[in-house]
Amino acid sequence: QLDDIYVSSYNGISSYAKIPTTFPWWSPRVNATVVHHEDSMFLMGGKARQGDDSYLCFDDIWVYANDQSVADYYSNANTPVPQLSRGETFQSFWIDITRDSTERRPPARAGAYAVSFKGRVYLIGGQTCPKCQSINELGKCTDSDELREKLTLTLTDVWSTEDFKTWRLDVPIAPWQGRNNVFAVVHDGAIYVMASVLKQFYNTFYSTDGVNYQMRGNACALTDVDLVSVVSFNSYLMAFTIGCHDQLSFDQTAVKCDHPYAGPLENRIYTTQNGTTWSLTGRPFDVDSFEKVMHQPYRWGTSADGQGKAVEGEVRYNFKVTSHLDTLFIIGGIKLQAPLDRFGKVYKDTDNPKKNYLEVQAMNDIWISKGLMAGSSVCVDKFDDGLSSAETAINMKKTQDQVECKIRW
């Protein structure tokens, strides 16, 4: 868990530099929520590992005061301020808005989404931090991962604010109650929320006012995939997923990985314009071809051997996706990848050359794209009970030029 921030040049590609960590500053944490609203950056919540190996969720809210007007609005007599050097008139710093505050605010949570929409910020989703149930003689929490996950609650309330000082509870229990892995994004004049049943069946909800949410009639769901990130880009809602797909099906429908015709676990991208029907993208794609769209694994999801071929089982997860200046960015994450030798080729055991070795790597690379890939429209399921095979599959012929680059800092 870290408390560092890196800022890039205007285009978000080069010249990354770490912002000096000066007092006051928020404490190290993971799964914090960050949102840009009214030209200011806000950070809230998250969780941190404690000395007994349990986690503590936060309910604090911070604003980055990058000019005097922001500092004046959020400061009070007890607000810590940085020590100015000789000749300095102002230094940017973080302000704890909740310090000494008695105002009602959202309960502590980690992994929530906050979106700026029509003059307000809406806080959606998040999870609680369960108390440790068993501590050993060394004072360490011995709860299993299964128990911690069972005791962790996925919150289904929706809060909103204009200035992060005063909050209101807009939705005590949202219609996605009982689902987990909640994502939220602003797209085409509405807030879209995707939430799953057992992380394998994702329904899409939308709201044009931030308060009243509904599903579109006869809408399709994403089934048999695990969602990693959702972003609005070039009039499309893009869902970055991990899953296995039927290699004998023309539209490569997502299937459980123990399906007899399932391909390897891999990163795939789905797109939609309004959450009704999702299209599974394919690479490469020839708009004049009526042959099966063959998918080649994305380079950001694999290490690829010396011949540019991906190794089966390679996949990237926990990465972040954002858009900036009409460019799509994939940043960091954790990758299950094949190790490379000193010649840049995938390592092979001389005693067992057909065996693939995979290792877990934390990534600090950045990938960019300028366009969308064409795909096939798939509707796997529409209801919470089912997880059936494909109901419809319509070949779509929409394609744009794609530019994919890799940058390391």
Side-chain angles (χ1 to χ4, degrees), residues 119 199 239 254 322 345 363 393 407:
K199 296 184 179 180
T322 189
K345 295 184 178 181
M363 309 303 296
I407 302 97

Side-chain angles (χ1 to χ4, degrees), residues 271 279-282 285 293 373-377 394-398:
T271 64
S279 297
L280 174 62
T281 63
F285 184 82
V293 179
M373 292 64 68
S376 296
S377 176
I394 306 171
N395 187 35
M396 307 295 289
K397 295 182 178 179
K398 53 178 184 288

Side-chain angles (χ1 to χ4, degrees), residues 94-264:
W94 287 92
I95 298 174
D96 183 358
I97 301 174
T98 51
R99 179 186 174 94
D100 303 324
S101 174
T102 59
E103 294 286 343
R104 186 188 184 198
R105 63 179 183 268
R109 65 191 67 200
Y113 276 79
V115 295
S116 179
F117 182 68
K118 295 184 177 180
R120 299 185 68 86
V121 167
Y122 292 85
L123 183 66
I124 299 171
Q127 294 184 323
T128 61
C129 293
K131 293 183 179 179
C132 182
Q133 302 297 304
S134 179
I135 298 179
N136 62 19
E137 63 277 5
L138 299 177
K140 300 294 185 180
C141 183
T142 58
D143 293 349
S144 65
D145 292 338
E146 292 77 11
L147 178 59
R148 295 187 187 191
E149 183 174 359
K150 181 179 180 180
L151 297 176
T152 298
L153 301 178
T154 297
L155 301 170
T156 56
D157 51 355
V158 178
W159 294 73
S160 73
T161 180
E162 286 184 328
D163 61 0
F164 290 83
K165 289 184 176 182
T166 304
W167 290 81
R168 75 184 187 201
L169 177 59
D170 288 325
V171 185
I173 302 177
W176 51 86
Q177 181 186 19
R179 294 168 172 81
N180 53 25
N181 219 29
V182 178
F183 296 81
V185 64
V186 173
H187 171 70
D188 194 25
I191 297 177
Y192 281 78
V193 176
M194 296 187 67
S196 73
V197 178
L198 300 178
K199 296 184 179 180
Q200 289 288 295
F201 185 98
Y202 287 88
N203 291 122
T204 305
F205 304 81
Y206 77 100
S207 171
T208 56
D209 60 8
V211 177
N212 299 290
Y213 292 83
Q214 57 185 317
M215 286 192 293
R216 297 194 184 278
N218 205 33
C220 299
L222 286 181
T223 301
D224 288 329
V225 295
D226 193 9
L227 192 56
V228 179
S229 187
V230 180
V231 65
S232 178
F233 180 68
N234 280 359
S235 75
Y236 285 89
L237 197 62
M238 303 183 68
F240 289 73
T241 69
I242 297 174
C244 298
H245 295 77
D246 188 342
Q247 299 301 291
L248 297 186
S249 169
F250 179 87
D251 50 272
Q252 300 181 20
T253 305
V255 294
K256 296 187 183 301
C257 289
D258 58 0
H259 187 280
Y261 302 126

Side-chain angles (χ1 to χ4, degrees), residues 1-9 14-22 25-26 28 41 64 92 94 409:
Q1 55 199 32
L2 303 171
D3 62 351
D4 52 357
I5 298 176
Y6 285 82
V7 62
S8 78
S9 57
S14 58
S15 302
Y16 272 84
K18 182 178 179 180
I19 296 178
T21 306
T22 57
W25 199 270
W26 37 273
M41 182 167 61
Y64 188 61
S92 299
W94 287 92
W409 66 72

Side-chain angles (χ1 to χ4, degrees), residues 340-355:
L340 303 179
D341 61 21
R342 60 192 181 94
F343 300 107
K345 295 184 178 181
V346 172
Y347 168 79
K348 291 292 185 181
D349 188 340
T350 54
D351 296 329
N352 192 359
K354 293 185 178 181
K355 182 177 180 179

